[in-house]
Amino acid sequence: MRIGLTTPILNNFDQAIDMIYSAKSKHDVKIYIQPQYRVQIPVAAAFNRGIRQALNDGCDAVIVSNDDILYGPDTIDRMVDAIFSADEDTVMVFPTNVVTMLDDPSEILFGDIEANGA
């Protein structure tokens, strides 16, 4: 299965790199960076452009993400499972924010933690 992940990036390069690094999955994840730092368009337009690019490339699902998100080890796989097991009226799923449960948010990237929820 092919998953598109789109994010606009204006000037938050450090956190964007961490977001991309954390976007791990058993599926093929293709990143669609919307370079707000080059061409500033409204953020909604940037999200829509990324969604369109992913769908045109044949992605089965698209994740719309801010550039300051960190994905837990199974988050993307759980989101994909949730959307494909949902009824046909479901168009969106979202992960649970566990960052407040951590002493250091970088534990998501580099720790041996197990997050509760997706």
Side-chain angles (χ1 to χ4, degrees), residues 62-81:
V62 181
I63 297 171
V64 176
S65 180
N66 287 345
D67 57 7
D68 61 349
I69 300 297
L70 295 177
Y71 293 98
D74 297 322
T75 301
I76 291 175
D77 292 339
R78 289 181 184 196
M79 289 171 59
V80 169
D81 291 345

Side-chain angles (χ1 to χ4, degrees), residues 24-99:
K24 296 185 174 28
S25 173
K26 65 184 177 188
H27 303 288
D28 178 22
V29 176
K30 183 166 182 187
I31 310 293
Y32 295 88
I33 292 173
Q34 302 306 305
Q36 297 293 89
Y37 54 90
R38 292 185 188 268
V39 180
Q40 292 189 21
I41 61 174
V43 73
F47 282 140
N48 288 337
R49 184 180 356 184
I51 293 167
R52 194 173 315 108
Q53 290 169 346
L55 294 176
N56 287 341
D57 280 352
C59 290
D60 300 295
V62 181
I63 297 171
V64 176
S65 180
N66 287 345
D67 57 7
D68 61 349
I69 300 297
L70 295 177
Y71 293 98
D74 297 322
T75 301
I76 291 175
D77 292 339
R78 289 181 184 196
M79 289 171 59
V80 169
D81 291 345
I83 197 68
F84 284 102
S85 65
D87 63 59
E88 64 185 38
D89 293 331
T90 302
V91 295
M92 180 183 352
V93 298
F94 56 90
T96 302
N97 182 357
V98 298
V99 78

